[in-house]
Amino acid sequence: MTAEPILTISGLNVDYGTGASGVRALRDIDLTLHRGEVLGLAGESGSGKSTLAYAVTRLLSPPGVITGGDVHYHRPGGESIDILSLTPDELRAFRWQELSIVFQGAMNSLNPVHTVHSQLTDVLTAHRPGMRAAERTARAEELLNLVGISADRLAAYPHQLSGGMRQRVMIAMALALEPEIVIMDEPTTALDVVMQRQILRKLVELRERLSFSVVFITHDISLLIEFSDRIAIMYGGRIVEQAGATEIYRDPRHPYSEGLLHSFPALHGPRRELTGIPGSPPHLSAMPTGCAFHPRCGKAFEPCPERVPVLAAPEAGQDREVACWLPH
Amino acid sequence: MKYILQRLAFYAVTAWAAITINFLIPRLMPGDPVEALMSRYQGQLDTTAIASLKALFGLDEHQSLWSQYTDYWSHLIDGDLGLSFTFFPTPVGEVISQSLPWTLALVGITTLISFLLGTGIGVYSGWRRGSWLDGLLPVTTFISAIPYFWLGLIAIALFAVKWQIFPAAGGYDNSLVPAFDWPFISSALYHGVLPGVTIVLSAIAGWILGMRNMMVTVSSEDYVMVAQAKGLSERRVMFSYAARNAVLPNISGFALSLGFIVGGTLLVEMVFSYPGIGYQLFQAVGAKDYPLMQGVFLIITLSVLAANLLADMAYALLDPRTRKEA
Ligand SMILES: Nc1ncnc2c1ncn2[C@@H]1O[C@H](COP(=O)(O)OP(=O)(O)O)[C@@H](O)[C@H]1O
Ligand code: SF4
Ligand SMILES: [Mg+2]
């Protein structure tokens, strides 16, 4: 991967609650998104994927707090912006213009009392004060066409649209200002498989046309194998492995990654046996010591319950990282 | 549109049922209180007055129930509600049309003020939880927990008796002739201050709490988060996304309270001897003035229905989902 970084996250820690009742949801997250790539973020439900998306966009609502770390955005010119120290006004200007997000609950992401038109154009009103009303409407029509919805749906209210259409409206909205980064948090989870593929194909096509970078979050790793360039795997609030999509698929190094691959039917290639992962994900308040995965890991050995494995390249010079005590 | 027509039909049927019950009740009453009263006013009632009272209270036993019923309706449609005994020989319709504007003005305006003010405070305190506005909540809740009767009497004791700032009773200075001029209007406003402020004080906490809770609930909705993520101005997120949705459940509450303006005003008008319809009803009950009571009940019923219809229309206007369900 020769591309320059566009978003760098380093040492990010997030807690829910403070003091005795506080729990740590993200631990020392280091992650880089490169210009033009699709980065997949996978992990079972509760592993902290959404928390990461909210923290990066500073949308965490109480009791969530960022307790440490940096998030930097790199403008195309090379200028670097410290997202976590933006003032409220700077943050408002930054949002959607540089980084937009499609949420997990995309079904409820549209305001039920306003039309699609109003919700597509208010972001233009906020960020492009010079734009005239007719231009905004034209842009909204263009955006709907982009995602394959006819322009006459602009007058519709959210409840008049199907789930798939609402989702595509959200994607259109995310592209309204042609941002550099789009974060998609399980954008298709609530939809049926056919609709999921349709939307993802559209997304990939749009990305090639408009060249933005994507962080694609899902618990279904088989989607990522197909659609992303690189994949990061999360477990218990940590990144436990990251590598190119094909490398993860062919040669997962972390037992958890391997478990995930055996939890979803592969789309292409040889059939894998669906064994799943025994046990269930840990609670934040009772995170196992050492490698958090050790109670569920078939390959655990002496160091695992004692010491936390660090995320590092398995062999020097490799462009992948894994956090596991197993010799590679 | 279809939705509104459906609602209209529903309320028409309800109104018909209410009026029919109003027709039946005096006919089911044991004894003949109206007849007793009529005999007391013997000689003072002319024949048309007797005819309309008979039609309204079913004293004409020679008629079938059905023809009594059609008679009743034809009197109602003419606006003929009989004669009031308390204000003999003023027709009930006239008594009501003189007192109703007072009630509508006093309680209507104060209900609107409490709703708007309470909703506004609720929006801000729900949006900025932990701000100084939250300190206001226990105070308003405490005041609203005081029975209105007490609150009114305390207000009179303090501001009308101890410090004689405001009048203790009445709707205007009795030395003035009611007219649409400044001396009369200013006197009416001046007399309205104490009852008005006490109504607002006792009602506002409910609106604040209801709106605050809804704001808190709605603030965690995905679309509010999206609005934040879009970098919209805080005002737009707070009003157009959060408050705009949070206010919907309060609309029906507001409509109900509009309906209770006429019915619920009894206490206020008793405490302040205010010349509205509640005070009229109070006097009618005391004087066993059945025609007036029946007239007031009719007005109360119709106003509750009208307020509900209004609420349905407001809801249809504010919530596009209602329009679809029609
Ligand atoms: N508001 C909250 N308060 C407390 N804990 C939370 C809150 N939101 C999420 N969590 C916890 O944080 C962890 C990560 O959640 P989340 O980021 O939603 O995971 P994912 O998106 O991977 O399913 C979970 O254990 C969840 O229980
Ligand atoms: S560190 Fe040990 S427990 Fe953790 S994944 Fe590797 S082998 Fe399993
Ligand atoms: Mg999630």
Side-chain angles (χ1 to χ4, degrees):
Chain A
M1 186 66 43
T2 51
E4 52 190 309
I6 188 164
L7 189 72
T8 46
I9 303 167
S10 47
L12 189 66
N13 282 302
V14 169
D15 287 2
Y16 282 110
T18 48
S21 62
V23 288
R24 178 139 297 184
L26 291 186
R27 292 169 190 266
D28 307 321
I29 300 286
D30 291 317
L31 194 62
T32 303
L33 174 69
H34 297 98
R35 197 172 295 284
E37 85 174 338
V38 177
L39 171 64
L41 196 57
E44 288 164 299
S45 179
S47 53
K49 309 179 297 293
S50 299
T51 305
L52 181 56
Y54 294 150
V56 164
T57 48
R58 282 189 49 191
L59 286 166
L60 268 183
S61 45
V65 277
I66 297 172
T67 50
D70 286 309
V71 181
H72 281 269
Y73 167 72
H74 308 279
R75 269 190 205 286
E79 185 198 351
S80 154
I81 296 172
D82 179 357
I83 296 181
L84 299 189
S85 57
L86 291 176
T87 64
D89 279 341
E90 290 169 341
L91 184 62
R92 252 194 293 282
F94 169 83
R95 284 173 168 171
W96 226 254
Q97 175 62 59
E98 315 287 347
L99 187 161
S100 65
I101 177 163
V102 178
F103 288 99
Q104 183 161 8
M107 287 301 134
N108 307 315
S109 285
L110 287 163
N111 186 344
V113 299
H114 291 314
T115 57
V116 170
H117 177 272
S118 143
Q119 299 183 63
L120 281 177
T121 53
D122 65 358
V123 70
L124 297 171
T125 313
H127 290 271
R128 306 262 193 276
M131 222 169 171
R132 281 176 299 131
E135 294 171 323
R136 289 196 295 264
T137 302
R139 175 69 178 144
E141 285 172 358
E142 187 186 350
L143 285 167
L144 279 194
N145 287 332
L146 210 58
V147 294
I149 298 179
S150 84
D152 62 9
R153 304 310 286 162
L154 271 183
Y157 285 94
H159 71 261
Q160 296 167 323
L161 304 176
S162 70
M165 268 208 225
R166 269 183 256 180
Q167 192 53 275
R168 280 182 287 165
V169 168
M170 287 317 293
I171 292 174
M173 194 184 291
L175 301 176
L177 304 176
E178 304 197 343
E180 294 292 327
I181 305 173
V182 180
I183 296 182
M184 309 242 166
D185 186 0
E186 314 229 13
T188 57
T189 305
L191 304 175
D192 64 70
V193 183
V194 179
M195 188 58 76
Q196 281 192 17
R197 309 247 152 250
Q198 251 181 35
I199 288 179
L200 289 179
R201 221 161 284 135
K202 192 90 217 171
L203 186 69
V204 169
E205 175 203 317
L206 287 172
R207 189 189 64 96
E208 268 150 29
R209 191 132 54 99
L210 306 171
S211 71
F212 47 89
S213 318
V214 179
V215 177
F216 195 96
I217 299 176
T218 175
H219 64 278
D220 179 354
I221 197 171
S222 64
L223 282 178
L224 293 181
I225 303 282
E226 194 177 7
F227 289 103
S228 58
D229 301 315
R230 219 152 44 85
I231 296 177
I233 312 268
M234 287 191 76
Y235 188 79
R238 288 180 194 272
I239 307 259
V240 295
E241 178 163 19
Q242 62 142 327
T246 34
E247 289 167 286
I248 291 271
Y249 179 63
R250 297 227 177 88
D251 179 24
R253 295 291 174 87
H254 199 285
Y256 179 61
S257 312
E258 201 175 344
L260 281 182
L261 285 167
H262 287 102
S263 303
F264 296 94
L267 299 170
H268 305 294
R271 233 167 240 274
R272 292 173 189 241
E273 199 188 338
L274 285 187
T275 48
I277 306 170
S280 47
H283 283 284
L284 296 184
S285 52
M287 198 52 72
T289 55
C291 171
F293 189 55
H294 83 258
R296 302 170 71 190
C297 182
K299 296 175 180 161
F301 60 115
E302 324 86 80
C304 301
E306 308 290 330
R307 289 180 295 143
V308 180
V310 284
L311 186 66
E315 285 135 47
Q318 274 187 322
D319 187 26
R320 63 183 298 175
E321 289 177 318
V322 61
C324 174
W325 289 120
L326 284 177
H328 295 288
Chain B
M1 204 60 248
K2 195 177 159 212
Y3 169 76
I4 293 290
L5 288 180
Q6 269 178 352
R7 299 312 290 167
L8 270 175
F10 171 77
Y11 287 119
V13 171
T14 317
W16 168 79
I19 291 169
T20 304
I21 289 171
N22 228 14
F23 160 81
L24 286 174
I25 284 176
R27 284 161 180 78
L28 299 174
M29 279 194 304
D32 265 333
V34 179
E35 202 146 29
L37 280 163
M38 278 168 71
S39 57
R40 234 175 64 204
Y41 287 92
Q42 201 94 61
Q44 298 179 52
L45 291 165
D46 61 27
T47 42
T48 46
I50 291 173
S52 76
L53 281 174
K54 281 186 169 173
L56 288 165
F57 289 91
L59 303 175
D60 199 345
E61 272 117 33
H62 310 299
Q63 273 188 310
S64 71
L65 199 62
W66 176 250
S67 69
Q68 286 183 32
Y69 186 58
T70 50
D71 249 25
Y72 179 81
W73 268 102
S74 71
H75 278 97
L76 276 193
I77 286 163
D78 290 343
D80 179 0
L81 300 170
L83 293 185
S84 161
F85 291 131
T86 335
F87 303 95
F88 191 82
T90 321
V92 166
E94 204 170 297
V95 175
I96 289 176
S97 67
Q98 273 167 9
S99 52
L100 194 58
W102 289 96
T103 296
L104 288 182
L106 173 70
V107 195
I109 290 171
T110 52
T111 303
L112 194 66
I113 290 176
S114 345
F115 174 71
L116 293 178
L117 205 62
T119 302
I121 296 174
V123 166
Y124 275 96
S125 73
W127 188 249
R128 300 232 169 89
R129 265 158 285 162
S131 73
W132 62 271
L133 277 172
D134 283 359
L136 212 65
L137 288 179
V139 181
T140 53
T141 310
F142 173 75
I143 293 175
S144 74
I146 303 173
Y148 181 80
F149 207 84
W150 260 106
L151 191 68
L153 290 179
I154 292 171
I156 289 176
L158 289 181
F159 298 102
V161 179
K162 190 154 190 279
W163 309 292
Q164 296 176 355
I165 310 172
F166 293 108
Y172 55 94
D173 193 336
N174 280 333
S175 63
L176 293 170
V177 181
F180 210 72
D181 55 13
W182 177 242
F184 179 72
I185 292 174
S186 64
S187 161
L189 286 176
Y190 181 54
H191 281 72
V193 170
L194 268 195
V197 169
T198 50
I199 294 174
V200 170
L201 277 179
S202 72
I204 199 166
W207 296 120
I208 297 180
L209 281 180
M211 195 59 195
R212 186 180 187 278
N213 287 344
M214 275 316 294
M215 277 300 277
V216 171
T217 310
V218 169
S219 293
S220 62
E221 291 283 348
D222 292 325
Y223 50 79
V224 175
M225 171 102 81
V226 170
Q228 304 268 29
K230 279 159 88 175
L232 304 180
S233 69
E234 189 178 359
R235 267 193 50 220
R236 169 116 183 136
V237 181
M238 173 160 100
F239 290 113
S240 190
Y241 282 75
R244 180 68 174 67
N245 280 284
V247 81
L248 291 178
N250 270 13
I251 296 289
S252 43
F254 179 59
L256 276 184
S257 73
L258 281 183
F260 285 128
I261 286 182
V262 178
T265 186
L266 192 70
L267 225 50
V268 183
E269 296 181 2
M270 275 162 64
V271 171
F272 290 97
S273 309
Y274 202 77
I277 199 161
Y279 191 55
Q280 225 62 276
L281 179 63
F282 173 57
Q283 288 182 318
V285 171
K288 294 207 175 96
D289 185 346
Y290 291 99
L292 185 53
M293 280 196 273
Q294 214 192 17
V296 172
F297 284 138
L298 194 68
I299 294 294
I300 291 176
T301 315
L302 293 182
S303 63
V304 171
L305 290 180
N308 273 290
L309 179 64
L310 215 68
D312 282 341
M313 290 183 4
Y315 216 105
L317 213 64
L318 289 175
D319 190 346
R321 284 162 296 187
T322 332
R323 280 172 246 163
K324 174 203 134 190
E325 276 151 28

